[in-house]
Amino acid sequence: MTVTVGVAGATGRMGEAVIAAAADRDDINVALAVSRSPGAHVEGVEVEDAADLPGLLERRTPDVLVDFTGPAACIEYAATCADAGVAFVSGTTGLSEGGFDALHEAAADVPVLYASNFSRGIAALRRAVREAVPALDGYDIELTETHHNAKRDAPSGTALTLLDDIDDARGESPRVHGREGEAPRDEREIGVHARRAGDIAGEHEVLLAGNHESLSLTHRAGSRGVFAAGALDAAAWVADRDAGWYDFTEVLE
Ligand SMILES: NC(=O)C1=CN([C@@H]2O[C@H](COP(=O)(O)OP(=O)(O)OC[C@H]3O[C@@H](n4cnc5c(N)ncnc54)[C@H](O)[C@@H]3O)[C@@H](O)[C@H]2O)C=CC1
Ligand SMILES: O=C(O)C1=N[C@H](C(=O)O)C[C@H](O)C1
């Protein structure tokens, strides 16, 4: 079965990567690409005006809209998809709690699949973290993420997901974002460090140290292609599901 997708944020780094990845797949057809800077072509696909999204969804009837934009657009497009009966897959980060509430509202009408990171390696890292944290009870934990110099939100969405995983594994811990001056470490705090440099696609390290040993669990994305492939796997998986909230881990089961 071929799944038809629309791509929102089509002229952005991830939007372009998604369209490029779709061009190599037989199971996905890009029926629509939108951006707030229309007129360009990405991999031969014409990019149309995102302001026309409601009408475009009605006319092109994609099965799924894949969104990599910004928080405001993500919330707006989720509601537009809910109205149009189109499944919504998003990897947009930097959403507030209210933003996630809005996505959950859309999930009452259509399938919504959200992931702060669509790489399989991060899914495996999350499993490793959930196992390591209780096994190394009392060890200090520090989390470091490194991204390209154009990333807007910090810490990354993936870092926030990993922090939630750590909280689930050992109870809620205070988060300390960087340290400066007199800053003695509290026993349970998690130091969170966000680095921005060059064109690094995305790196995350969870460091556990204590008892004269340290364990570093690290993931490095070599290109945006890994995120794009995962998002398209998610789109293919969610296309014919019932309305509801879905997680990327379900796609990998
Ligand atoms: N979940 C995952 O696996 C991944 C998530 N991301 C996230 O995806 C998002 C996009 O990342 P990039 O492609 O690097 O950013 P980008 O800045 O290159 O592209 C974003 C695109 O969205 C559009 N956009 C932003 N706000 C908009 C608005 N209010 N209305 C209409 N269009 C709007 C921009 O014009 C641009 O075309 C970020 O939140 C990033 O953190 C990025 C990589 C992987
Ligand atoms: O903005 C990015 O580039 C990335 N954003 C996501 C995040 O915030 O975790 C995922 C990935 O690390 C790349």
Side-chain angles (χ1 to χ4, degrees), residues 11-14 36 68-69 73 77 91 93 115-118 151:
T11 53
R13 285 174 288 271
M14 273 307 297
R36 61 183 169 184
F68 286 96
T69 55
Y77 300 163
T93 58
S116 60
N117 196 303
F118 278 104
K151 183 162 177 61

Side-chain angles (χ1 to χ4, degrees), residues 21-127:
D24 292 335
R25 294 174 65 136
D26 294 333
D27 60 334
I28 302 275
N29 180 34
V30 177
L32 171 67
V34 296
S35 161
R36 61 183 169 184
S37 15
H41 283 76
V42 177
E43 298 276 333
V45 178
E46 186 191 354
V47 179
E48 297 174 76
D49 192 347
D52 299 333
L53 186 63
L56 287 165
L57 290 181
E58 206 174 301
R59 292 196 294 281
R60 305 282 172 75
T61 61
D63 299 310
V64 186
L65 185 73
V66 178
D67 161 84
F68 286 96
T69 55
C74 171
I75 293 165
E76 181 189 331
Y77 300 163
T80 306
C81 283
D83 289 344
V86 173
F88 187 66
V89 167
S90 178
T92 297
T93 58
L95 292 169
S96 63
E97 212 175 302
F100 281 111
D101 289 346
L103 262 56
H104 278 281
E105 261 175 49
D109 296 318
V110 291
V112 173
L113 192 151
Y114 177 84
S116 60
N117 196 303
F118 278 104
S119 87
R120 285 164 186 261
I122 285 289
L125 174 69
R126 291 185 62 193
R127 286 196 295 276

Side-chain angles (χ1 to χ4, degrees), residues 126 130 133 161-172:
R126 291 185 62 193
R130 285 196 293 261
V133 168
T161 300
L162 289 165
L163 288 166
D164 287 344
D165 288 337
I166 295 165
D167 282 354
D168 287 347
R170 70 166 202 184
E172 220 168 292

Side-chain angles (χ1 to χ4, degrees), residues 10 19 43 66 100 126 135-136 142 159 172 176 178 180 200 204 208 211 214 225 227 239 251:
I19 295 171
E43 298 276 333
V66 178
F100 281 111
R126 291 185 62 193
L136 303 178
E142 296 278 311
E172 220 168 292
V176 175
E180 195 182 22
I200 294 166
H204 293 87
L208 300 102
N211 190 33
S214 66
F227 308 128
V251 179

